[in-house]
Amino acid sequence: MLVVVASRHGATSELGEWICGTLRDGGHQVALTRPVPGADPQGADAVVLGSATYAKRWLGDANSWFAHYREALVERPTWVFDSGMAPRSVGDDVPLGDAVRVVDALGPRGFRHFGGRIDRALLSRAERAIVGALRKPDDDGRSRPEVEAWAREIDLELGGLLTGALGGALGGALGAGAATRDRGAIARD
């Protein structure tokens, strides 16, 4: 599994780390990477793609990576998330801005928006000016339990997808009874 995350100041990368940790706890082999040209999803069984957002805009490297690998993403189970400080209601997971285009193009198995972090010590002078003009205090709106709960949902869905694929393949080779009995053990091997 491949988790690809675009982050400017590290907060969204941390979300990717939390997602990876939860998926690894579920028994999945997971690679975390930035959206760079060599991060090809072709060899991945599934992909989670995420980006920090600024004024509802995804980071340029996330948009470029998505555009370059769109065909490969459509061919495999994909989940999408973004993170930012734009005011949103709890549980409001309707894509906004660039996420609309990505979600519409991919038809992912899930989309989630997570809160972001403002830490003036990490911001550029221009970013500090914008945050100051908006009278935004330093804040961390990320919820690790919420992120890990979403990753567990992905884990459960992946387990069902893997079990179904392996069960179908094994059912033909071994007989349906053997595949059904062994699905739980096979899904995590």
Side-chain angles (χ1 to χ4, degrees):
M1 173 162 210
L2 184 62
V3 177
V4 180
V5 181
S7 184
R8 184 175 290 163
H9 301 295
T12 308
S13 289
E14 282 186 288
L15 299 179
E17 291 169 10
W18 299 344
I19 291 167
C20 287
T22 301
L23 292 170
R24 286 185 187 116
D25 289 348
H28 302 281
Q29 291 184 358
V30 184
L32 174 63
T33 187
R34 293 182 8 248
V36 294
D40 190 338
Q42 283 293 1
D45 292 332
V47 176
V48 175
L49 171 60
S51 180
T53 58
Y54 293 84
K56 302 178 190 169
R57 305 290 307 191
W58 276 32
L59 296 179
D61 52 349
N63 280 315
S64 296
W65 190 88
F66 156 73
H68 184 76
Y69 292 112
R70 179 179 166 201
E71 301 276 327
L73 295 171
V74 170
E75 296 172 355
R76 58 201 23 84
T78 301
W79 288 262
V80 176
F81 76 93
D82 62 19
S83 169
M85 294 304 293
R88 307 230 6 202
S89 302
V90 173
D92 179 7
D93 289 319
V94 175
L96 300 174
D98 285 346
V100 172
R101 179 179 41 80
V102 174
V103 167
D104 286 350
L106 295 180
R109 293 187 171 272
F111 170 81
R112 194 63 52 100
H113 173 80
F114 298 112
R117 178 182 71 194
I118 296 176
D119 182 346
R120 280 179 175 71
L122 301 174
L123 302 179
S124 70
R125 177 176 285 182
E127 290 168 331
R128 284 193 304 274
I130 292 168
V131 168
L134 294 173
R135 294 195 164 105
K136 290 273 194 183
D138 280 9
D139 186 24
D140 192 344
R142 300 170 304 157
S143 167
R144 188 172 186 155
E146 181 184 343
V147 172
E148 290 175 341
W150 187 61
R152 282 190 297 277
E153 291 174 20
I154 294 170
D155 171 46
L156 288 172
E157 192 165 346
L158 281 171
L161 291 170
L162 182 58
T163 300
L166 286 175
L170 288 175
L174 302 174
T180 302
R181 278 193 306 278
D182 294 339
R183 282 186 185 165
I186 293 169
R188 297 290 183 209
D189 286 346

